[in-house]
Amino acid sequence: MSNRRDDLIEKYAADIKGKFGQTPDMDLLKKVTIGLGPAIYNMDSSKVSGSDEAELETVRKNFLLKKLGLTDGPQLMEAIKSVIDKYGKSERNKHRAVVYYILAKHFKKESVYN
């Protein structure tokens, strides 16, 4: 099973390089991926639908507020939308692990995963 996860982490790393032009911090990426648990193996829950407002709201509530402990405000949704835009409107496979990773880096909350 860990091989499957490692394959996914490689795929996520490629997106971080290719879509966001960043060199992935593999340790953080692995922790974010593990933090998502079995959701990464589910076709539906492993992706973030950028056009679904309810989905973006879930990212804001469950990840930014609960997991990262950020203070609520318009900057949270702006950050989420910016990540979705950078990922590319035409990219249907916006991996949740990548979105969460980029947001954790953006808000300098890597420490949450230590």
Side-chain angles (χ1 to χ4, degrees), residues 49-67:
S49 166
S51 57
D52 182 349
E53 287 297 325
E55 172 76 9
L56 302 182
E57 192 51 37
T58 300
V59 172
R60 186 183 71 83
K61 275 200 206 120
N62 293 352
F63 186 65
L64 297 183
L65 296 175
K66 281 189 193 149
K67 177 77 181 167

Side-chain angles (χ1 to χ4, degrees), residues 11-109:
K11 196 188 284 185
Y12 302 156
D15 271 7
I16 291 165
K17 275 191 198 117
K19 307 274 179 193
F20 295 91
Q22 297 181 16
T23 302
D25 169 343
M26 294 308 286
D27 188 46
L28 177 63
L29 182 56
K30 188 171 186 179
K31 287 174 180 168
V32 170
T33 303
I34 292 168
L36 285 167
I40 60 167
Y41 304 113
N42 177 304
M43 270 310 287
D44 214 37
S45 59
S46 68
K47 313 274 193 290
V48 173
S49 166
S51 57
D52 182 349
E53 287 297 325
E55 172 76 9
L56 302 182
E57 192 51 37
T58 300
V59 172
R60 186 183 71 83
K61 275 200 206 120
N62 293 352
F63 186 65
L64 297 183
L65 296 175
K66 281 189 193 149
K67 177 77 181 167
L68 298 188
L70 295 167
T71 307
D72 202 4
Q75 75 282 3
L76 299 189
M77 197 51 85
E78 282 164 22
I80 294 167
K81 289 191 167 162
S82 143
V83 172
I84 297 295
D85 284 348
K86 278 202 189 102
Y87 220 134
K89 289 258 190 269
S90 62
E91 176 57 71
R92 293 201 50 236
N93 293 326
K94 294 178 180 75
H95 298 288
R96 186 172 301 276
V98 173
V99 172
Y100 284 16
Y101 168 94
I102 298 288
L103 286 167
K105 293 286 270 186
H106 173 80
F107 287 109
K108 300 189 174 14
K109 284 286 186 177

